[in-house]
Amino acid sequence: MQPCSPNQTQVTEFIMLGFAGVQGTYLLFFMLFLTMYLFTLAENLAILLVVGLDHRLWRPMYFFLTHLSCLEIWYTSVTVPKMLAGFIGADGGKSISYAGCLTQLFLFTFLGATECFLLAAMAYDRYVAICVPLRYGSLVSWGTCFRLAAACWLLGFLTPILPVYLMSQLTFCGPNIVDHFFCDASPLLALSCSDVTLKETVDFLVSLAVLLASSTVITVSYGNIVWTLLHIRLAAQRWKAFSTCAAHLTVVSLFYGTLFFMYVRTKVASSINFNKVVSVFYSVVTPMLNPLIYSLRNKEVKEGLGRAFTLRFWRGQ
């Protein structure tokens, strides 16, 4: 961080304003977000457990699904516990150190970018399964799956390095009130007393590159899938093929819809309150909905959950 001028004090911590407009209903919002967070943890842990223990689900599609569940758990855990502490006024609940703020920003960006790449890898898996099924075993081997997953995590880790480094070079001399419930780039840039033009441009380009690269893979994959489905004569076979990727397509629509809105912009902030609502949707609501979408729209996952929760699985059936 660049030093402040002699008559200014360098910021060493930030105060998270959170949802300041809901005074008097903090307990209600605390219970709501706590329930959603615990539900998200339970859902994703259930998927990890079922896929890990049921050998019938040891296939590439479910391998990627377990990675997605891990991401959802960490993704929400980066922001929600701190937000909950702020609701109940716990000691230090609303404050976060400068280093802690940058760490939270790094982890949130890292996990979000990794999810983008992972959804692209899952789209490729569905493309091969539907469009070239006879070559599925060779094109989506276990070695390929591990390499794709490793590439997703590596690319996700590299994504925030330059943006967070540039953020660390900005000067923050006060005020230190972050009008958000976590350390996101836009509200932090609004507090900086440095020229944020370079940082804002890099954020835009990095976000655009991640979203365009991953969404291009998804679009091309589903374009080929649709083309293949149109050439299937029997409606029953067409629907059966489409049903294998319906859950993934729904998750992609929810996730990318909010991310394109939030991050591919050049302004630091347009409507802060509306941005908070959108942020809640993709950082809390979507991770809670994703396991439901996969379990409700996927017959094999439902059967696996049924075997686990009726204990028939444990009896060797």
Side-chain angles (χ1 to χ4, degrees):
M1 181 190 293
Q2 299 297 322
C4 295
S5 60
N7 61 342
Q8 292 177 311
T9 302
Q10 185 167 291
V11 170
T12 59
E13 72 172 15
F14 294 100
I15 305 299
M16 311 301 296
L17 192 59
F19 299 90
V22 295
Q23 293 94 338
T25 57
Y26 276 165
L27 183 59
L28 176 62
F29 275 83
F30 172 81
M31 294 304 300
L32 174 63
F33 285 116
L34 176 61
T35 301
M36 294 170 68
Y37 178 58
L38 293 178
F39 197 47
T40 300
L41 294 182
E43 290 173 317
N44 285 290
L45 287 173
I47 287 180
L48 289 173
L49 183 65
V50 169
V51 175
L53 295 178
D54 193 338
H55 67 276
R56 286 170 254 199
L57 300 180
W58 290 356
R59 299 204 300 277
M61 180 171 66
Y62 301 108
F63 169 79
F64 290 121
L65 182 58
T66 59
H67 281 263
L68 182 63
S69 291
C70 287
L71 273 172
E72 303 289 22
I73 291 172
W74 296 338
Y75 196 56
T76 54
S77 297
V78 168
T79 59
V80 176
K82 188 68 176 177
M83 177 178 65
L84 293 175
F87 275 128
I88 62 175
D91 292 340
K94 289 184 175 294
S95 64
I96 185 170
S97 67
Y98 172 77
C101 191
L102 291 184
T103 300
Q104 187 183 56
L105 176 62
F106 182 93
L107 291 175
F108 190 79
T109 308
F110 157 45
L111 295 171
T114 302
E115 184 159 349
C116 288
F117 295 124
L118 185 62
L119 289 174
M122 295 173 77
Y124 170 75
D125 169 73
R126 292 299 82 206
Y127 154 73
V128 177
I130 294 174
C131 299
V132 282
L134 296 181
R135 300 183 61 195
Y136 185 80
S138 60
L139 292 178
V140 192
S141 63
W142 281 113
T144 301
C145 290
F146 283 113
R147 286 191 291 271
L148 282 174
C152 292
W153 287 98
L154 177 60
L155 290 173
F157 180 80
L158 294 176
T159 296
I161 290 179
L162 180 57
V164 173
Y165 169 76
L166 292 177
M167 182 72 79
S168 71
Q169 300 305 300
L170 298 179
T171 303
F172 295 90
C173 302
N176 67 336
I177 307 297
V178 179
D179 196 0
H180 214 305
F181 61 90
F182 69 95
C183 289
D184 202 5
S186 292
L188 287 177
L189 291 179
L191 297 179
S192 177
C193 45
S194 303
D195 181 4
V196 299
T197 303
L198 175 61
K199 166 67 173 131
E200 194 178 17
T201 302
V202 169
D203 281 358
F204 173 77
L205 293 177
V206 169
S207 300
L208 188 63
V210 171
L211 291 175
L212 284 182
S214 54
S215 62
T216 297
V217 174
I218 293 172
T219 301
V220 172
S221 296
Y222 275 102
N224 283 279
I225 287 172
V226 170
W227 179 257
T228 301
L229 293 178
L230 291 176
H231 288 77
I232 297 178
R233 294 183 178 181
L234 296 179
Q237 291 181 351
R238 188 185 307 122
W239 171 250
K240 182 179 180 181
F242 175 75
S243 65
T244 64
C245 57
H248 176 261
L249 187 58
T250 304
V251 170
V252 166
S253 300
L254 288 172
F255 186 74
Y256 277 84
T258 52
L259 284 187
F260 267 112
F261 174 82
M262 282 297 295
Y263 289 110
V264 185
R265 298 175 302 165
T266 57
K267 293 183 179 180
V268 170
S270 53
S271 173
I272 292 176
N273 289 330
F274 191 56
N275 288 351
K276 289 181 187 178
V277 174
V278 178
S279 297
V280 166
F281 191 84
Y282 73 75
S283 64
V284 182
V285 177
T286 301
M288 181 188 67
L289 293 178
N290 287 350
L292 284 176
I293 293 170
Y294 272 104
S295 60
L296 292 176
R297 300 295 297 271
N298 190 300
K299 181 179 179 181
E300 291 178 318
V301 173
K302 286 191 290 185
E303 291 175 349
L305 288 169
R307 285 191 294 270
F309 286 109
T310 58
L311 298 181
R312 284 182 298 174
F313 175 84
W314 302 103
R315 296 169 185 167
Q317 298 183 14

